[in-house]
Amino acid sequence: MSEKMPKPNQACTRAWTRIMRVRDRLLGAIEADLKAAGMPPLAWYDVLWELARTSDGRLRPYEIEERTLLAQYNLSRLVDRLERERLVRREVFAEDGRGRWVVITEDGRRLRERMWAVYAGSIETHIGCKLAEDEAKMLAGLLDRLL
């Protein structure tokens, strides 16, 4: 049965390995930059960004999960933490009293903006200064084909 399974060529296997190594290294570097600046982890930014970019600053938990790389169980604990820090609040979903909205607060918006200043600099340091703009566009286009 395994003989009939398609096998990636050496170039595809190398590309996969590089994607995973680059991902790990870049995330580690960005997390370190945020930590050095006294900021919370990148996952906080991801949730706050997804909320901030909606027209009313709110999403259902499953919508946040769909838009981020966070698993439901991790997202639930993270939203609890963000709520304790008063960066988000939960509101009852009017159409279904069991459901909840997660809503970004003004404190959450301000923290996301402060985090972006560090995050943007980190993107430039670890990616932008290593690729010309046309190279970055080409790389983004190639990666889009995998999505």
Side-chain angles (χ1 to χ4, degrees), residues 48-57 67 109:
L48 295 173
W49 168 242
E50 292 301 336
L51 292 167
R53 66 191 208 122
T54 64
S55 61
D56 56 1
R67 295 172 186 213
R109 289 182 188 279

Side-chain angles (χ1 to χ4, degrees), residues 12-119:
C12 287
T13 302
R14 184 170 183 252
W16 168 251
T17 302
R18 292 291 193 266
I19 289 168
M20 297 310 294
R21 283 185 184 155
V22 166
R23 177 192 179 277
D24 288 349
R25 286 187 184 158
L26 289 174
L27 284 175
I30 290 168
E31 289 285 9
D33 291 346
L34 288 168
K35 186 175 184 176
M39 296 290 165
L42 187 56
W44 288 38
Y45 180 88
D46 291 343
V47 171
L48 295 173
W49 168 242
E50 292 301 336
L51 292 167
R53 66 191 208 122
T54 64
S55 61
D56 56 1
R58 65 185 187 170
L59 291 167
R60 302 283 302 265
Y62 78 88
E63 293 172 314
I64 299 170
E65 183 181 350
E66 288 173 352
R67 295 172 186 213
T68 65
L69 297 175
L70 299 168
Q72 190 279 326
Y73 60 91
N74 289 332
L75 177 61
S76 192
R77 287 186 291 200
L78 177 54
V79 170
D80 288 345
R81 179 82 192 270
L82 294 172
E83 188 173 37
R84 281 194 304 273
E85 298 290 330
R86 294 187 166 91
L87 302 171
V88 302
R89 68 178 181 278
R90 288 185 172 105
E91 292 179 355
V92 174
F93 185 61
E95 289 80 21
D96 175 4
R98 298 169 297 175
R100 299 283 184 263
W101 290 107
V102 178
V103 183
I104 192 170
T105 65
E106 285 307 312
D107 286 347
R109 289 182 188 279
R110 284 190 290 273
L111 176 62
R112 191 210 61 82
E113 289 172 8
R114 287 194 319 272
M115 289 182 78
W116 175 244
V118 176
Y119 190 11

Side-chain angles (χ1 to χ4, degrees), residues 3 107 145:
E3 292 174 20
D107 286 347
R145 291 171 46 189

